[in-house]
Amino acid sequence: MMQQRRNYYIIGSVLLSILLVPLSGSGIISLKWGIVPFFGGSALIAVSLLWLSSCIFSKEMNSGYILQVFRYILTAGLITSFSGLLLLSGSYIRYVAMDRLSPHWILFWPLVLVACLIFLAGMYRKIIQGNVETFKRWERFIKREDREPRSFLKNLWEEVILQKQLRRESHIRWLRHVLIFWGFVSLWLVDFAFAVITKYLPIFGWPPLPKDSAVRVGFDFFLDFFGLMILTGTAVALLWGLRVRRTTQKIYTDTPTAAFLFIVAFTGYLVEGLRLAALPYEPYMGYSFLGNFVASFIRGTDLSFSSIHRGLWLFHVFISCAFIAYFPVKRLVHSCATPVGKLMQSQKTMLDKKVKGVVSGLLNPEE
């Protein structure tokens, strides 16, 4: 009954959001109605994950209650973010119609929305639905009183963050993985903060950041720096893949994914370079060191920057969203699944009880 009620709530919330899109598109409700639920929903998703961590670091409260609250908060966060994306799409359509935005922006939020839905569906199918039977086999051995928080934190630091085991096995694979994984995560976090501070807070009355302010040029520098990490990591992956393509090490390569991500990162720098090249040079542009490097080759030429920039920007947005949707399909999904497995391996007491339970079942099949 509760599951059915939750499904009705989800369907009703989605339908209500869809009905509100014409209101945001017509201007009856403002852009703020899309911004607040989108970022509020993102915050709820983060809170749900923090709440779930209490299963590991605390013995207070019943586990069933913690999981139930987690599901409610996570569901509310996903629905709220989804609603925000729909309302933002309506507002962007209106701004394009009013000539306040270039027409190519009309595609941005719908593409992000579709990519996120495909990503979430794929991750659910791969990580959750695909491991239901495994969880059922483990369920009777997972007791909160057996948890080992210190071992969990140790494995989190050494095997998930620093990737020590992978470094022992292969320095080149470790370098590739660290550059791509942490470059991607860091770029996403910085880009998220950049969008909030420079694009959306001014809508609520915050003073916009000057382009040469310390915060703004700091964003410019780190966006280029973390993008360079991804570009370097994918280049290393592609070159190493060519080197080992006829050896047993080939099983550790994923050339199509590396090439895909390389194109995403490379076109991002081309877009940034074209944007900067269309403007007279100013000292603050130097902090976007790679974008400015690209711009230095084309600034002052007779190229039609606006048309080239718009076309390349659309291509970059499309392949970026395609990559988000592609993430659960290939080996990249292991960047999420593998850390979970390593964290479970840190729980020695649970593992021992599982082994004893399996052995007991084999020796006493009638029990």
Side-chain angles (χ1 to χ4, degrees):
M1 179 63 72
M2 290 183 66
Q3 178 66 37
Q4 188 177 27
R5 190 185 309 162
R6 186 164 63 245
N7 290 340
Y8 286 143
Y9 171 72
I10 294 172
I11 294 170
S13 300
V14 172
L15 290 176
L16 177 61
S17 301
I18 293 173
L19 292 173
L20 288 174
V21 171
L23 297 180
S24 66
S26 62
I28 295 175
I29 58 178
S30 70
L31 182 66
K32 296 177 183 178
W33 283 73
I35 296 172
V36 171
F38 176 70
F39 289 107
S42 300
L44 282 175
I45 294 171
V47 168
S48 71
L49 296 175
L50 289 174
W51 173 263
L52 184 63
S53 69
S54 62
C55 270
I56 300 170
F57 299 109
S58 171
K59 292 184 179 180
E60 303 297 327
M61 295 180 291
N62 179 268
S63 298
Y65 172 74
I66 291 175
L67 292 174
Q68 185 179 22
V69 172
F70 163 72
R71 283 193 290 266
Y72 276 118
I73 299 176
L74 179 63
T75 302
L78 291 172
I79 292 173
T80 307
S81 295
F82 177 78
S83 303
L85 282 172
L86 284 174
L87 295 172
L88 284 169
S89 299
S91 295
Y92 271 54
I93 291 170
R94 176 166 59 89
Y95 286 152
V96 169
M98 294 168 62
D99 288 331
R100 290 176 59 182
L101 277 177
S102 176
H104 62 275
W105 276 98
I106 202 171
L107 295 173
F108 182 76
W109 284 111
L111 282 173
V112 171
L113 177 62
V114 171
C116 288
L117 289 175
I118 296 174
F119 170 81
L120 291 171
M123 293 298 286
Y124 176 82
R125 187 175 65 253
K126 285 278 189 177
I127 294 180
I128 298 178
Q129 193 176 47
N131 289 287
V132 169
E133 294 302 320
T134 301
F135 177 76
K136 286 180 179 178
R137 291 195 296 269
W138 265 86
E139 191 174 12
R140 61 194 178 103
F141 304 110
I142 300 177
K143 306 294 181 184
R144 286 180 68 197
E145 58 268 21
D146 295 331
R147 85 219 189 309
E148 301 170 63
R150 290 181 181 273
S151 297
F152 182 93
L153 288 172
K154 184 173 182 292
N155 251 35
L156 177 65
W157 174 252
E158 293 184 353
E159 301 302 339
V160 177
I161 296 176
L162 298 181
Q163 295 283 319
K164 283 189 173 182
Q165 181 179 340
L166 182 59
R167 187 174 61 187
R168 288 191 295 268
E169 294 175 0
S170 169
H171 282 80
I172 192 72
R173 284 168 50 206
W174 173 82
L175 177 64
R176 172 197 66 180
H177 187 274
V178 167
L179 287 172
I180 294 175
F181 181 79
W182 287 113
F184 193 86
V185 170
S186 301
L187 181 64
W188 184 87
L189 291 173
V190 173
D191 201 24
F192 188 86
F194 175 77
V196 171
I197 293 172
T198 64
K199 305 293 184 184
Y200 298 114
L201 285 183
I203 295 173
F204 293 89
W206 287 58
L209 287 174
K211 291 183 178 180
D212 58 351
S213 66
V215 175
R216 180 60 185 263
V217 298
F219 276 125
D220 291 341
F221 174 81
F222 283 110
L223 285 170
D224 269 31
F225 178 77
F226 292 129
L228 179 60
M229 284 180 64
I230 297 173
L231 200 64
T232 305
T234 51
V236 169
L238 290 169
L239 292 172
W240 186 72
L242 287 173
R243 180 184 174 187
V244 302
R245 65 186 185 278
R246 292 190 176 89
T247 70
T248 56
Q249 293 286 304
K250 184 181 178 180
I251 61 173
Y252 299 114
T253 66
D254 187 0
T255 300
T257 300
F260 198 165
L261 188 53
F262 181 87
I263 294 170
V264 171
F266 185 72
T267 55
Y269 285 118
L270 291 180
V271 169
E272 184 185 30
L274 285 166
R275 178 182 64 81
L276 294 175
L279 303 170
Y281 177 78
E282 293 186 45
Y284 75 85
M285 295 179 180
Y287 289 92
S288 300
F289 55 94
L290 273 182
N292 189 58
F293 176 74
V294 174
S296 67
F297 288 96
I298 53 180
R299 186 180 282 116
T301 63
D302 295 329
L303 292 174
S304 176
F305 293 115
S306 59
S307 59
I308 297 175
H309 176 267
R310 187 181 304 116
L312 191 58
W313 183 90
L314 279 171
F315 177 72
H316 177 68
V317 168
F318 179 79
I319 62 173
S320 297
C321 290
F323 185 80
I324 293 171
Y326 171 83
F327 189 97
V329 176
K330 298 290 282 184
R331 294 173 63 95
L332 271 175
V333 74
H334 294 296
S335 63
C336 295
T338 301
V340 174
K342 288 185 178 296
L343 293 176
M344 286 300 297
Q345 291 171 12
S346 70
Q347 304 303 294
K348 301 300 184 184
T349 302
M350 291 183 187
L351 289 171
D352 289 344
K353 286 192 173 183
K354 181 192 175 186
V355 171
K356 290 176 181 178
V358 171
V359 172
S360 176
L362 291 173
L363 296 176
N364 305 286
E366 295 181 359
E367 290 187 6

